[in-house]
Amino acid sequence: MTWEEILERDDIVGGDIESQEDGIIFRGPIESIKIKDGIVIIKAKWVARLDPRESDGWKKSDTTELSVSANSKPEKIPGNRIYFQFPPPGQCIIFPKG
């Protein structure tokens, strides 16, 4: 699977993106996805942040954009979802609409 194939799908925008980095989880609804100068830019309408080391649950995040190299290889996983990794050791799942 390529990023270009993902851009052609009509079920990505309006779906959700969830990323995990250093044990912290970020999740929000996808507003747009594009490739610019070899970088995939995924913008969310808003993002919630959960740090399991803290006891106050989900909080609004100031970050609403995730940028990764277009060389990062996306993979289709069960449920028509998309999985990819990004540095530092981070991972992300795109959940299509529905």
Side-chain angles (χ1 to χ4, degrees):
M1 173 167 268
T2 67
W3 286 108
E4 288 77 12
E5 291 172 318
I6 292 168
L7 290 174
E8 291 174 6
R9 290 179 51 172
D10 62 359
D11 62 344
I12 299 300
V13 173
D16 282 355
I17 185 163
E18 180 179 290
S19 67
Q20 295 184 30
E21 187 175 348
D22 295 328
I24 300 171
I25 302 167
F26 297 88
R27 186 159 180 160
I30 298 172
E31 183 173 57
S32 65
I33 181 169
K34 64 183 176 180
I35 299 175
K36 183 178 180 181
D37 299 326
I39 303 294
V40 178
I41 302 166
I42 303 170
K43 183 165 177 58
K45 291 180 183 180
W46 51 263
V47 174
R49 174 186 184 276
L50 176 65
D51 187 339
R53 299 167 288 206
E54 298 174 1
S55 61
D56 52 355
W58 290 92
K59 294 189 239 178
K60 184 177 181 185
S61 173
D62 293 333
T63 303
T64 60
E65 200 169 274
L66 175 66
S67 299
V68 296
S69 168
N71 293 330
S72 174
K73 179 106 172 105
E75 302 172 36
K76 190 172 177 183
I77 60 174
N80 212 19
R81 297 172 293 164
I82 299 160
Y83 172 84
F84 61 95
Q85 294 181 322
F86 58 92
Q91 57 186 355
C92 196
I93 297 177
I94 295 175
F95 297 83
K97 290 189 278 192

